[in-house]
Amino acid sequence: MEWADFQRPGVPGSLVGAPLGVSSISWTWSATSGTEFYKLFQASSPATLIATSSSPAAVVTGLSTNTAYGVVLKAGNIQDEGGFSASATAYTLAAVPAASVFDAVWTASMTVSWSSNGNPSGTNFLAQLSGAADFSSLAGSSQTPVASASFSGLLPKTTYYLRVRAINGGGVFTDFSATGSTRTKPSLPSAPGAPSGTSLGPSSIAWTWPSVADAELYKVYQASSPGTLLAASTAPAAVLTALSTNTAYGIVVRAGNVVGDGPFSASATAYTLAASPASPAFGPIWTSSMTASWSVNGNPSGTGFLAQLSLGDDFNGVAGSSQTLNAFAAFSGLSPKTTYYLR
Protein backbone atom coordinates (compact mmCIF):
# COMPACT_ATOMS: atom_id res chain seq x y z
CA MET A 1 0.00 0.00 0.00
CA GLU A 2 1.32 3.47 -0.88
CA TRP A 3 1.44 6.22 1.72
CA ALA A 4 -0.81 8.19 -0.58
CA ASP A 5 -3.58 5.69 0.15
CA PHE A 6 -3.83 7.04 3.72
CA GLN A 7 -5.72 10.16 4.60
CA ARG A 8 -5.37 12.40 7.58
CA PRO A 9 -8.20 11.67 10.06
CA GLY A 10 -10.80 14.33 10.63
CA VAL A 11 -11.56 16.04 13.90
CA PRO A 12 -13.91 13.96 16.09
CA GLY A 13 -17.13 15.60 17.27
CA SER A 14 -19.87 15.09 19.81
CA LEU A 15 -17.46 14.47 22.68
CA VAL A 16 -19.57 13.68 25.74
CA GLY A 17 -18.66 12.44 29.21
CA ALA A 18 -20.94 10.50 31.56
CA PRO A 19 -19.96 9.72 35.17
CA LEU A 20 -19.88 6.03 36.05
CA GLY A 21 -19.13 6.54 39.73
CA VAL A 22 -17.15 8.64 42.17
CA SER A 23 -13.86 7.91 40.39
CA SER A 24 -14.63 7.19 36.73
CA ILE A 25 -16.09 8.83 33.61
CA SER A 26 -17.13 7.22 30.35
CA TRP A 27 -16.31 9.31 27.26
CA THR A 28 -17.91 8.82 23.86
CA TRP A 29 -17.63 10.68 20.55
CA SER A 30 -18.51 10.38 16.90
CA ALA A 31 -16.24 8.17 14.78
CA THR A 32 -14.12 9.67 12.00
CA SER A 33 -13.09 8.00 8.75
CA GLY A 34 -9.55 6.85 8.19
CA THR A 35 -8.99 6.49 11.92
CA GLU A 36 -7.07 3.68 13.57
CA PHE A 37 -6.96 5.11 17.10
CA TYR A 38 -8.17 7.95 19.27
CA LYS A 39 -6.19 9.80 21.91
CA LEU A 40 -7.79 11.55 24.87
CA PHE A 41 -5.86 14.44 26.40
CA GLN A 42 -6.27 16.71 29.40
CA ALA A 43 -7.95 19.89 28.12
CA SER A 44 -5.94 22.21 30.34
CA SER A 45 -2.69 20.47 29.35
CA PRO A 46 -3.12 19.00 25.83
CA ALA A 47 0.27 17.31 26.02
CA THR A 48 -0.97 15.12 28.89
CA LEU A 49 -2.34 11.90 27.41
CA ILE A 50 -5.17 10.37 29.42
CA ALA A 51 -6.26 7.38 27.34
CA THR A 52 -5.96 5.72 23.94
CA SER A 53 -8.77 3.75 22.30
CA SER A 54 -9.36 1.97 18.97
CA SER A 55 -13.10 2.71 19.25
CA PRO A 56 -14.97 5.98 19.75
CA ALA A 57 -15.23 5.46 23.50
CA ALA A 58 -12.99 5.34 26.57
CA VAL A 59 -13.42 4.97 30.33
CA VAL A 60 -11.10 7.00 32.51
CA THR A 61 -10.66 5.75 36.09
CA GLY A 62 -8.75 6.71 39.21
CA LEU A 63 -10.38 10.11 39.37
CA SER A 64 -11.36 12.24 42.37
CA THR A 65 -14.90 12.41 43.75
CA ASN A 66 -17.23 15.12 42.42
CA THR A 67 -14.50 16.73 40.36
CA ALA A 68 -14.67 18.33 36.91
CA TYR A 69 -12.49 16.79 34.21
CA GLY A 70 -12.02 18.53 30.87
CA VAL A 71 -10.68 16.61 27.85
CA VAL A 72 -9.88 17.08 24.18
CA LEU A 73 -9.59 14.38 21.56
CA LYS A 74 -7.50 13.53 18.50
CA ALA A 75 -8.08 10.87 15.88
CA GLY A 76 -5.03 9.24 14.29
CA ASN A 77 -3.69 6.52 12.05
CA ILE A 78 -0.31 5.11 11.19
CA GLN A 79 0.40 8.06 8.94
CA ASP A 80 -0.86 11.09 10.82
CA GLU A 81 -3.05 12.54 13.57
CA GLY A 82 -5.86 14.98 13.07
CA GLY A 83 -6.54 18.18 14.97
CA PHE A 84 -7.93 18.52 18.46
CA SER A 85 -11.66 18.30 19.01
CA ALA A 86 -13.56 20.90 20.96
CA SER A 87 -13.09 20.36 24.67
CA ALA A 88 -15.75 18.78 26.87
CA THR A 89 -16.10 18.63 30.64
CA ALA A 90 -17.80 16.11 32.89
CA TYR A 91 -17.97 15.60 36.66
CA THR A 92 -17.47 12.38 38.54
CA LEU A 93 -20.37 11.47 40.80
CA ALA A 94 -20.57 12.78 44.35
CA ALA A 95 -20.43 10.24 47.19
CA VAL A 96 -23.50 9.42 49.27
CA PRO A 97 -23.28 11.37 52.57
CA ALA A 98 -22.88 9.33 55.76
CA ALA A 99 -23.21 9.43 59.54
CA SER A 100 -25.98 11.95 60.11
CA VAL A 101 -25.89 13.58 63.56
CA PHE A 102 -28.57 15.62 65.35
CA ASP A 103 -26.35 18.26 66.92
CA ALA A 104 -28.88 20.49 68.68
CA VAL A 105 -32.54 19.56 69.07
CA TRP A 106 -35.01 21.97 70.68
CA THR A 107 -38.77 22.40 70.94
CA ALA A 108 -39.33 23.86 67.46
CA SER A 109 -35.93 23.68 65.77
CA MET A 110 -32.88 21.53 65.24
CA THR A 111 -29.43 21.58 63.67
CA VAL A 112 -28.08 18.50 61.90
CA SER A 113 -24.79 17.57 60.32
CA TRP A 114 -23.33 14.67 58.37
CA SER A 115 -20.10 13.27 57.01
CA SER A 116 -19.24 14.54 53.52
CA ASN A 117 -17.82 11.05 52.90
CA GLY A 118 -14.98 12.17 50.66
CA ASN A 119 -16.86 14.85 48.75
CA PRO A 120 -14.71 17.93 48.21
CA SER A 121 -15.32 21.35 49.71
CA GLY A 122 -18.11 23.14 47.87
CA THR A 123 -20.16 20.02 47.22
CA ASN A 124 -23.87 20.76 47.48
CA PHE A 125 -26.09 18.63 49.69
CA LEU A 126 -29.84 18.29 49.89
CA ALA A 127 -31.11 17.57 53.42
CA GLN A 128 -34.76 16.65 53.93
CA LEU A 129 -36.69 16.45 57.21
CA SER A 130 -40.05 14.73 57.53
CA GLY A 131 -42.53 13.73 60.19
CA ALA A 132 -43.20 10.58 58.16
CA ALA A 133 -40.74 7.70 57.88
CA ASP A 134 -41.57 7.36 54.17
CA PHE A 135 -40.99 11.09 53.55
CA SER A 136 -44.45 11.37 51.99
CA SER A 137 -44.47 14.98 53.20
CA LEU A 138 -41.61 17.26 54.17
CA ALA A 139 -41.25 19.38 57.29
CA GLY A 140 -38.16 21.06 55.87
CA SER A 141 -35.64 20.94 53.03
CA SER A 142 -32.23 22.59 52.78
CA GLN A 143 -29.79 22.68 49.86
CA THR A 144 -26.43 23.76 51.20
CA PRO A 145 -22.73 23.75 50.26
CA VAL A 146 -21.75 22.72 53.79
CA ALA A 147 -22.31 19.47 55.68
CA SER A 148 -24.91 20.87 58.07
CA ALA A 149 -28.39 22.35 58.04
CA SER A 150 -30.87 23.98 60.41
CA PHE A 151 -34.62 23.48 60.47
CA SER A 152 -37.24 25.57 62.28
CA GLY A 153 -41.01 25.75 62.62
CA LEU A 154 -41.14 22.21 64.01
CA LEU A 155 -43.67 20.73 66.42
CA PRO A 156 -42.74 19.88 70.01
CA LYS A 157 -42.56 16.24 71.15
CA THR A 158 -42.58 15.03 67.54
CA THR A 159 -40.41 12.41 65.85
CA TYR A 160 -38.65 13.65 62.71
CA TYR A 161 -36.72 11.69 60.10
CA LEU A 162 -33.66 12.97 58.24
CA ARG A 163 -32.09 11.93 54.95
CA VAL A 164 -29.34 13.61 52.93
CA ARG A 165 -27.96 13.29 49.42
CA ALA A 166 -25.17 15.02 47.57
CA ILE A 167 -25.23 16.74 44.18
CA ASN A 168 -22.23 16.70 41.89
CA GLY A 169 -21.11 19.70 39.85
CA GLY A 170 -23.10 18.42 36.89
CA GLY A 171 -26.36 18.41 38.87
CA VAL A 172 -26.54 14.64 39.34
CA PHE A 173 -27.95 13.54 42.69
CA THR A 174 -26.63 10.64 44.71
CA ASP A 175 -28.87 8.18 46.49
CA PHE A 176 -30.11 9.28 49.89
CA SER A 177 -28.13 8.45 52.98
CA ALA A 178 -29.45 6.06 55.60
CA THR A 179 -32.39 7.64 57.45
CA GLY A 180 -31.85 9.00 60.96
CA SER A 181 -34.49 10.11 63.41
CA THR A 182 -34.91 12.11 66.60
CA ARG A 183 -37.67 13.63 68.70
CA THR A 184 -38.06 17.33 69.38
CA LYS A 185 -38.17 18.48 72.98
CA PRO A 186 -41.39 19.43 74.80
CA SER A 187 -42.57 23.00 75.25
CA LEU A 188 -41.48 24.93 78.31
CA PRO A 189 -44.09 24.27 81.04
CA SER A 190 -46.50 27.02 82.00
CA ALA A 191 -46.90 28.30 85.56
CA PRO A 192 -48.75 25.92 87.89
CA GLY A 193 -51.91 27.09 89.59
CA ALA A 194 -51.62 28.43 93.13
CA PRO A 195 -50.50 25.76 95.62
CA SER A 196 -52.56 24.72 98.64
CA GLY A 197 -50.98 23.79 101.97
CA THR A 198 -52.30 21.49 104.71
CA SER A 199 -50.61 21.28 108.10
CA LEU A 200 -49.65 17.73 109.04
CA GLY A 201 -48.25 18.60 112.45
CA PRO A 202 -46.16 21.18 114.29
CA SER A 203 -43.21 20.61 111.91
CA SER A 204 -44.63 19.63 108.52
CA ILE A 205 -46.93 20.91 105.76
CA ALA A 206 -48.29 18.98 102.77
CA TRP A 207 -48.48 21.06 99.58
CA THR A 208 -50.41 20.28 96.41
CA TRP A 209 -50.98 22.20 93.17
CA PRO A 210 -52.56 21.63 89.74
CA SER A 211 -50.44 19.59 87.34
CA VAL A 212 -48.95 21.24 84.26
CA ALA A 213 -48.59 19.82 80.74
CA ASP A 214 -45.04 18.80 79.75
CA ALA A 215 -43.78 19.04 83.32
CA GLU A 216 -41.11 16.50 84.25
CA LEU A 217 -40.24 18.01 87.61
CA TYR A 218 -41.77 20.49 90.04
CA LYS A 219 -39.61 22.72 92.23
CA VAL A 220 -40.83 24.34 95.44
CA TYR A 221 -39.16 27.59 96.48
CA GLN A 222 -39.40 29.93 99.45
CA ALA A 223 -41.81 32.70 98.42
CA SER A 224 -39.79 35.45 100.10
CA SER A 225 -36.56 34.16 98.54
CA PRO A 226 -37.36 32.45 95.21
CA GLY A 227 -33.75 31.38 94.82
CA THR A 228 -34.08 29.11 97.86
CA LEU A 229 -35.13 25.63 96.76
CA LEU A 230 -37.15 23.77 99.40
CA ALA A 231 -38.17 20.59 97.57
CA ALA A 232 -38.42 18.92 94.15
CA SER A 233 -40.99 16.37 93.06
CA THR A 234 -42.06 14.55 89.91
CA ALA A 235 -45.68 14.72 91.15
CA PRO A 236 -47.70 17.90 91.80
CA ALA A 237 -47.27 17.52 95.54
CA ALA A 238 -44.57 17.80 98.20
CA VAL A 239 -44.30 17.52 101.98
CA LEU A 240 -42.03 19.99 103.76
CA THR A 241 -40.68 18.75 107.09
CA ALA A 242 -38.41 19.95 109.90
CA LEU A 243 -40.35 23.20 110.11
CA SER A 244 -40.88 25.41 113.13
CA THR A 245 -43.99 25.09 115.28
CA ASN A 246 -46.96 27.34 114.52
CA THR A 247 -45.05 29.24 111.86
CA ALA A 248 -46.20 30.64 108.52
CA TYR A 249 -44.47 29.27 105.42
CA GLY A 250 -44.98 30.87 102.02
CA ILE A 251 -43.99 29.05 98.83
CA VAL A 252 -44.04 29.38 95.04
CA VAL A 253 -43.80 26.51 92.58
CA ARG A 254 -42.43 26.19 89.05
CA ALA A 255 -42.52 23.27 86.62
CA GLY A 256 -39.54 22.22 84.55
CA ASN A 257 -38.43 19.76 81.92
CA VAL A 258 -35.43 19.10 79.69
CA VAL A 259 -35.91 22.51 78.04
CA GLY A 260 -35.79 24.47 81.28
CA ASP A 261 -37.91 25.82 84.14
CA GLY A 262 -41.18 27.61 83.51
CA PRO A 263 -42.54 30.68 85.35
CA PHE A 264 -43.41 30.74 89.05
CA SER A 265 -46.89 30.10 90.36
CA ALA A 266 -48.70 32.59 92.57
CA SER A 267 -47.52 32.37 96.17
CA ALA A 268 -49.44 30.62 98.94
CA THR A 269 -49.00 30.50 102.72
CA ALA A 270 -49.81 27.83 105.31
CA TYR A 271 -49.03 27.46 109.01
CA THR A 272 -47.65 24.47 110.82
CA LEU A 273 -49.82 23.31 113.71
CA ALA A 274 -49.31 24.65 117.20
CA ALA A 275 -48.08 22.21 119.85
CA SER A 276 -50.43 21.15 122.65
CA PRO A 277 -49.66 23.10 125.84
CA ALA A 278 -48.23 21.07 128.71
CA SER A 279 -47.92 21.01 132.52
CA PRO A 280 -51.06 22.91 133.54
CA ALA A 281 -50.84 24.40 137.07
CA PHE A 282 -53.11 26.30 139.49
CA GLY A 283 -52.15 29.22 141.68
CA PRO A 284 -52.91 31.36 143.39
CA ILE A 285 -56.38 30.00 144.31
CA TRP A 286 -58.95 32.05 146.25
CA THR A 287 -62.54 31.66 147.36
CA SER A 288 -64.12 32.77 144.09
CA SER A 289 -61.18 33.12 141.73
CA MET A 290 -57.99 31.44 140.60
CA THR A 291 -55.16 31.78 138.15
CA ALA A 292 -54.06 28.88 135.91
CA SER A 293 -50.83 28.57 133.90
CA TRP A 294 -49.18 26.09 131.50
CA SER A 295 -46.04 25.41 129.44
CA VAL A 296 -46.08 26.80 125.89
CA ASN A 297 -44.33 23.54 124.83
CA GLY A 298 -42.33 25.07 122.00
CA ASN A 299 -45.00 27.35 120.61
CA PRO A 300 -43.56 30.72 119.54
CA SER A 301 -44.36 34.06 121.06
CA GLY A 302 -47.72 35.30 119.84
CA THR A 303 -49.36 31.88 119.87
CA GLY A 304 -52.96 32.04 121.03
CA PHE A 305 -54.23 29.70 123.76
CA LEU A 306 -57.77 28.79 124.80
CA ALA A 307 -58.08 27.88 128.51
CA GLN A 308 -61.33 26.34 129.75
CA LEU A 309 -62.49 25.70 133.36
CA SER A 310 -65.27 23.21 134.14
CA LEU A 311 -67.00 21.58 137.11
CA GLY A 312 -66.76 18.18 135.43
CA ASP A 313 -63.86 16.34 133.85
CA ASP A 314 -66.02 15.73 130.79
CA PHE A 315 -66.27 19.49 130.30
CA ASN A 316 -69.98 19.13 129.65
CA GLY A 317 -70.38 22.62 131.02
CA VAL A 318 -67.81 25.42 131.08
CA ALA A 319 -67.41 27.58 134.19
CA GLY A 320 -64.94 29.90 132.51
CA SER A 321 -63.09 30.38 129.25
CA SER A 322 -60.16 32.58 128.31
CA GLN A 323 -58.49 33.10 124.92
CA THR A 324 -55.13 34.68 125.46
CA LEU A 325 -51.66 35.24 124.00
CA ASN A 326 -50.19 34.54 127.43
CA ALA A 327 -49.36 31.22 129.07
CA PHE A 328 -51.76 31.92 131.95
CA ALA A 329 -55.38 32.91 132.54
CA ALA A 330 -57.43 34.28 135.46
CA PHE A 331 -60.92 33.03 136.28
CA SER A 332 -63.42 34.68 138.66
CA GLY A 333 -66.99 34.21 139.83
CA LEU A 334 -66.21 30.73 141.11
CA SER A 335 -67.94 28.86 143.96
CA PRO A 336 -66.10 28.26 147.24
CA LYS A 337 -65.01 24.80 148.26
CA THR A 338 -65.67 23.52 144.72
CA THR A 339 -63.49 21.30 142.49
CA TYR A 340 -62.71 22.68 139.05
CA TYR A 341 -61.04 21.06 136.02
CA LEU A 342 -58.77 22.89 133.61
CA ARG A 343 -57.89 22.24 129.98
Side-chain angles (χ1 to χ4, degrees):
M1 180 181 292
E2 301 292 336
W3 287 108
D5 294 335
F6 289 90
Q7 60 178 357
R8 188 184 192 197
V11 176
S14 304
L15 178 59
V16 176
L20 297 180
V22 296
S23 61
S24 58
I25 297 175
S26 172
W27 294 97
T28 59
W29 53 87
S30 58
T32 57
S33 60
T35 298
E36 295 176 348
F37 58 83
Y38 299 92
K39 292 182 178 179
L40 205 60
F41 297 88
Q42 188 174 313
S44 60
S45 177
T48 302
L49 180 65
I50 297 172
T52 301
S53 174
S54 59
S55 64
V59 174
V60 180
T61 61
L63 307 179
S64 298
T65 302
N66 189 20
T67 301
Y69 287 90
V71 299
V72 290
L73 181 67
K74 274 186 179 182
N77 56 33
I78 195 172
Q79 184 181 15
D80 199 1
E81 293 181 358
F84 283 111
S85 69
S87 65
T89 299
Y91 277 82
T92 49
L93 292 180
V96 177
S100 297
V101 176
F102 296 90
D103 298 300
V105 179
W106 301 103
T107 301
S109 63
M110 67 175 68
T111 299
V112 300
S113 62
W114 51 88
S115 165
S116 61
N117 199 23
N119 287 302
S121 175
T123 296
N124 276 295
F125 300 93
L126 177 65
Q128 293 182 334
L129 196 70
S130 177
D134 62 359
F135 288 84
S136 54
S137 62
L138 295 181
S141 181
S142 176
Q143 186 166 321
T144 171
V146 294
S148 64
S150 295
F151 298 96
S152 59
L154 308 180
L155 299 175
K157 295 192 299 182
T158 301
T159 298
Y160 286 96
Y161 301 88
L162 173 72
R163 64 183 183 182
V164 185
R165 60 180 176 176
I167 313 164
N168 80 346
V172 179
F173 288 88
T174 66
D175 291 334
F176 280 106
S177 64
T179 299
S181 66
T182 191
R183 186 174 173 84
T184 48
K185 291 179 170 59
S187 299
L188 192 70
S190 59
S196 175
T198 301
S199 300
L200 298 181
S203 62
S204 58
I205 299 174
W207 292 97
T208 60
W209 51 86
S211 60
V212 175
D214 298 322
E216 296 173 359
L217 187 69
Y218 296 95
K219 297 178 180 178
V220 180
Y221 294 87
Q222 187 175 317
S224 60
S225 177
T228 303
L229 180 66
L230 302 177
S233 173
T234 56
V239 175
L240 300 184
T241 59
L243 307 179
S244 297
T245 302
N246 188 21
T247 301
Y249 287 90
I251 66 162
V252 289
V253 180
R254 71 194 313 184
N257 58 26
V258 67
V259 177
D261 293 333
F264 285 109
S265 69
S267 64
T269 300
Y271 276 82
T272 50
L273 293 179
S276 296
S279 306
F282 296 93
I285 300 173
W286 305 101
T287 303
S288 60
S289 64
M290 69 173 68
T291 298
S293 62
W294 51 87
S295 166
V296 297
N297 197 23
N299 287 301
S301 175
T303 298
F305 299 94
L306 176 64
Q308 292 181 332
L309 202 66
S310 177
L311 292 170
D313 60 4
D314 60 358
F315 284 82
N316 190 33
V318 176
S321 179
S322 175
Q323 187 166 329
T324 175
L325 298 178
N326 302 310
F328 62 87
F331 298 95
S332 60
L334 306 180
S335 299
K337 298 190 295 182
T338 302
T339 298
Y340 287 95
Y341 297 88
L342 174 70
R343 66 178 184 183

